[in-house]
Amino acid sequence: MKIRLKNIGIISDSSLEIKGLTVITGHNNSGKTTVGKVIYSLIDAVSNIQQKSRNDRYHYALAELDKAYEEFSFRYSLKHGKDEIPNECLHIFFYIKTIITPKLKFSHPMNLSNT
């Protein structure tokens, strides 16, 4: 794997090739730690990317359900003049959030349909 670093930390322009065991040496304040952090960040960014994506979509869906619940509560209070929401409505939101949402596979954060 070839990596080119440009204007990152103390490194103005450098490239390195990682093959098998790669040892990075240099004087103090020469950018060794910066290179290590870049390599770690690159590997971390692409490892388990599908799981990370699913987690992001799941948390997005939960946040949207929370917004929908707040909006519903507000509109229900305005329409009926009551602060209490019927238990049936609470059960529906609870069911969606705890039972259905974890089982969904989202194709895009903005598309909450089951795929």
Side-chain angles (χ1 to χ4, degrees):
M1 168 172 55
K2 281 191 170 192
I3 298 175
R4 181 166 182 208
L5 304 174
K6 193 169 186 176
N7 298 323
I8 297 177
I10 197 169
I11 301 169
S12 58
D13 190 6
S14 182
S15 60
L16 66 123
E17 187 171 357
I18 298 174
K19 287 184 175 179
L21 177 65
T22 302
V23 179
I24 300 171
T25 63
H27 297 289
N28 290 343
N29 296 321
S30 61
K32 299 180 301 292
T33 300
T34 301
V35 170
K37 288 180 179 180
V38 167
I39 293 170
Y40 174 81
S41 297
L42 289 171
I43 292 170
D44 184 57
V46 296
S47 65
N48 295 323
I49 198 162
Q50 289 180 334
Q51 182 62 41
K52 290 176 185 177
S53 178
R54 274 193 296 274
N55 289 344
D56 287 347
R57 291 187 303 246
Y58 172 73
H59 290 293
Y60 174 83
L62 291 181
E64 289 300 308
L65 282 171
D66 288 340
K67 288 181 198 174
Y69 175 76
E70 292 297 322
E71 181 68 21
F72 175 80
S73 301
F74 176 73
R75 289 179 183 262
Y76 185 86
S77 297
L78 286 178
K79 184 174 182 178
H80 298 285
K82 300 177 185 177
D83 286 337
E84 288 188 23
I85 298 173
N87 281 339
E88 303 83 44
C89 297
L90 294 175
H91 290 300
I92 291 170
F93 277 103
F94 178 78
Y95 180 76
I96 291 171
K97 193 169 183 175
T98 60
I99 308 296
I100 295 175
T101 306
K103 295 179 183 178
L104 296 178
K105 294 179 184 175
F106 302 117
S107 60
H108 186 276
M110 297 304 289
N111 179 7
L112 300 181
S113 64
N114 214 357
T115 57

